[in-house]
Amino acid sequence: MWRRLLTLGASFDGAALRAFDANASAAEPWPALRRWCLAGLSGTGLAVGFHASVDLDLATQRVASVALELDGTRLLQACPDAVARLRLKLVVKLRDAMVWHARGPLDVWDCGWVSADAGARQALRQFKPRRPTFVVLSLVAPAHISVTLGDLKARSPSFAHPLRVLVLGRADASAPGGAVHIPA
């Protein structure tokens, strides 16, 4: 509980994560990915998933669609005016502050992808989630994925919130050790 209180003043870590494009068109739903993200939500720590696709562009669009639902972007876009958007943002902050509140499927997450940029990978080494977080590693060299996952796994016991990392690869890519396969 106290670890969650310490994250209240944090903001989205734009150095480690790139936000998904809010203007991305909605893609075909991916229920298996959403279920995997929400599984064990009451706990903390790290879960790693893997999906290999022959159509990486389509898989990326589907991932973005799930992320934009989880991070509240679609809720914000549905607000009719600035007052409703402000109200939604205040409700999200209030729920973040309710450390006694059990997390649920309607809570807002942080979601982002990690670029192949060395600076982003370095920033990820310092990353701590401020709320449940969904991170996507796509088109990142296998050696970098291994180092990144190893570092996150070593630090995950100190995380106050769950972290879900999806490694998205081409059809010929191999799953990192310990990753759960996320079916299409």
Side-chain angles (χ1 to χ4, degrees):
M1 179 169 99
W2 295 111
R3 288 188 299 177
R4 282 180 66 184
L5 279 174
L6 295 174
T7 63
L8 288 178
S11 59
F12 183 81
D13 189 344
L17 304 177
R18 305 294 185 259
F20 287 90
D21 179 6
N23 297 318
S25 59
E28 177 185 341
W30 194 343
L33 178 59
R34 185 171 174 81
R35 275 192 309 275
W36 174 74
C37 285
L38 296 175
L41 194 54
S42 62
T44 60
L46 171 71
V48 179
F50 176 76
H51 181 78
S53 178
V54 292
D55 189 345
L56 198 54
D57 289 335
L58 177 61
T60 301
Q61 291 171 11
R62 293 180 72 200
V63 166
S65 193
V66 170
L68 293 171
E69 288 177 20
L70 288 173
D71 75 5
T73 297
R74 296 298 187 221
L75 287 173
L76 200 58
Q77 291 171 334
C79 290
D81 55 35
V83 172
R85 287 188 293 277
L86 178 61
R87 186 178 317 121
L88 177 61
K89 289 177 182 182
L90 290 172
V91 166
V92 168
K93 282 294 186 187
L94 178 62
R95 287 183 70 92
D96 284 349
M98 296 169 51
V99 294
W100 60 89
H101 164 71
R103 293 180 197 95
L106 299 179
D107 286 340
V108 170
W109 290 46
D110 278 341
C111 297
W113 55 276
V114 179
S115 73
D117 172 276
R121 289 193 318 270
Q122 181 61 31
L124 193 61
R125 297 191 73 159
Q126 310 302 318
F127 177 79
K128 283 193 171 192
R130 69 175 176 147
R131 59 173 56 129
T133 303
F134 174 55
V135 173
V136 178
L137 296 173
S138 180
L139 300 178
V140 177
H144 294 308
I145 289 173
S146 178
V147 169
T148 298
L149 293 177
D151 178 63
L152 288 171
K153 184 175 182 178
R155 293 185 305 107
S156 66
S158 71
F159 295 166
H161 303 281
L163 175 64
R164 305 292 184 256
V165 177
L166 176 68
V167 179
L168 189 59
R170 300 189 193 289
D172 58 351
S174 57
V180 173
H181 172 69
I182 310 297

